[in-house]
């Protein structure tokens, strides 16, 4: 019997050590350990900005092409916009001589997942390119659309789980919000900050959805 108790005690110790390790790993990959996009305006400012946006029916997608928003452009040396965001939003990211991320971790605030391969991460345009096109960018110059698609100054670009980004597509907040409800306030602030800076319009359903979120921040 003493041997049985000893084996049980050993298993208990192993489980406790594993739990402690998992807890430590969770701390290492929590959002606080990650870098992030530029901080969006406060909820109060976002509500003010939202009230200043032009409200109109969404325009047509006619003529839209992602090629009309050139990205990802070179930012510095061999690094393009995607690689800059991967480095910025990741933790302990190591890049090779061509600026490709070869190791590191990325916490996706959209869904709370952490990834360890850059191939599992997309760079999301908070305001999608097609949405921007329908909200006023169709009349911009190509250089303006390029600046929008590679905007590192506003909270317009963020590294997130690739499948989640693809599920979002080009939908606005009336049609899609991040799976993690705890991120809705930040997401709405990012969306309004970006649309306000770039003088893009909102449709009525989009505005109502954003107001609802921001009022709860």
């Amino acid at each position: 019997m003493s041997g049985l108790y000893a084996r049980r005690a050993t298993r208990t110790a192993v489980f406790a050590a594993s739990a402690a390790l998992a807890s430590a790993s969770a701390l290492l990959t929590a959002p606080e350990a990650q870098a992030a996009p530029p901080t969006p305006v406060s909820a109060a400012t976002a509500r003010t900005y939202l009230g200043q946006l032009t409200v109109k029916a969404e325009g047509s997608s006619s003529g839209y092409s992602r090629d009309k928003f050139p990205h990802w452009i070179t930012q510095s040396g061999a690094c393009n916009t995607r690689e800059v965001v991967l480095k910025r939003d990741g933790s302990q990211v190591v890049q090779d001589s061509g600026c490709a991320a070869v190791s590191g971790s990325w916490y996706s605030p959209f869904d709370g997942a952490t990834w360890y391969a850059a191939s599992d991460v997309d760079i999301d345009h908070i305001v999608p390119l097609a949405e921007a096109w329908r909200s006023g960018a169709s009349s911009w110059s190509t250089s303006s659309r390029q600046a929008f698609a590679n905007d590192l100054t506003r909270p317009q670009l963020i590294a997130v789980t690739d499948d989640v980004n693809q599920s979002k597509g080009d939908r606005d907040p009336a049609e899609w919000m991040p799976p993690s409800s705890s991120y809705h306030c930040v997401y709405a602030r990012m969306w309004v900050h970006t649309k306000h800076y770039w003088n893009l319009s909102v449709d009525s359903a989009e505005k109502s959805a954003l107001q609802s979120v921001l009022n709860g921040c």
Side-chain angles (χ1 to χ4, degrees):
M1 294 296 291
S2 60
L4 175 61
Y5 289 143
R7 288 195 296 275
R8 285 177 176 171
T10 300
R11 282 202 298 266
T12 299
V14 170
F15 291 154
S18 298
L21 181 60
S23 178
S25 298
L27 289 174
L28 290 173
T29 58
E32 291 77 13
Q34 304 292 125
T39 303
V41 294
S42 68
T45 299
R47 287 191 289 269
T48 298
Y49 280 6
L50 183 59
Q52 295 170 350
L53 295 179
T54 298
V55 180
K56 60 188 293 187
E58 199 166 76
S60 169
S61 293
S62 178
Y64 167 73
S65 167
R66 288 178 66 85
D67 293 340
K68 293 184 177 179
F69 293 79
H71 65 289
W72 304 109
I73 63 170
T74 300
Q75 292 290 343
S76 177
C79 302
N80 66 27
T81 307
R82 171 181 164 82
E83 292 154 348
V84 169
V85 176
L86 285 172
K87 176 72 171 179
R88 182 197 70 189
D89 290 3
S91 178
Q92 299 182 329
V93 176
V94 175
Q95 296 173 308
D96 65 18
S97 60
C99 209
V102 294
S103 66
S105 65
W106 292 268
Y107 174 83
S108 169
F110 280 12
D111 58 334
T114 297
W115 301 97
Y116 297 91
S119 58
D120 290 322
V121 177
D122 277 355
I123 307 306
D124 177 52
H125 289 93
I126 292 294
V127 176
L129 304 183
E131 164 69 20
W133 178 270
R134 297 189 297 263
S135 303
S138 59
S139 64
W140 294 354
S141 65
T142 299
S143 61
S144 291
R145 289 194 288 265
Q146 175 177 290
F148 173 81
N150 297 275
D151 188 358
L152 293 168
T153 305
R154 265 63 53 183
Q156 160 67 343
L157 299 172
I158 184 171
V160 297
T161 301
D162 55 0
D163 290 348
V164 175
N165 180 52
Q166 290 155 25
S167 74
K168 170 184 171 178
D170 63 356
R171 293 183 287 176
D172 69 32
E175 304 160 324
W176 187 92
M177 289 292 285
S180 178
S181 59
S182 64
Y183 201 68
H184 287 187
C185 183
V186 176
Y187 185 80
R189 289 160 52 205
M190 296 168 83
W191 184 282
V192 173
H193 186 158
T194 300
K195 278 217 163 180
H196 185 269
Y197 178 84
W198 289 97
N199 195 29
L200 295 167
S201 64
V202 290
D203 62 48
S204 58
E206 175 188 353
K207 182 175 182 179
S208 294
L210 289 164
Q211 281 178 326
S212 178
V213 174
L214 292 171
N215 286 341
C217 291

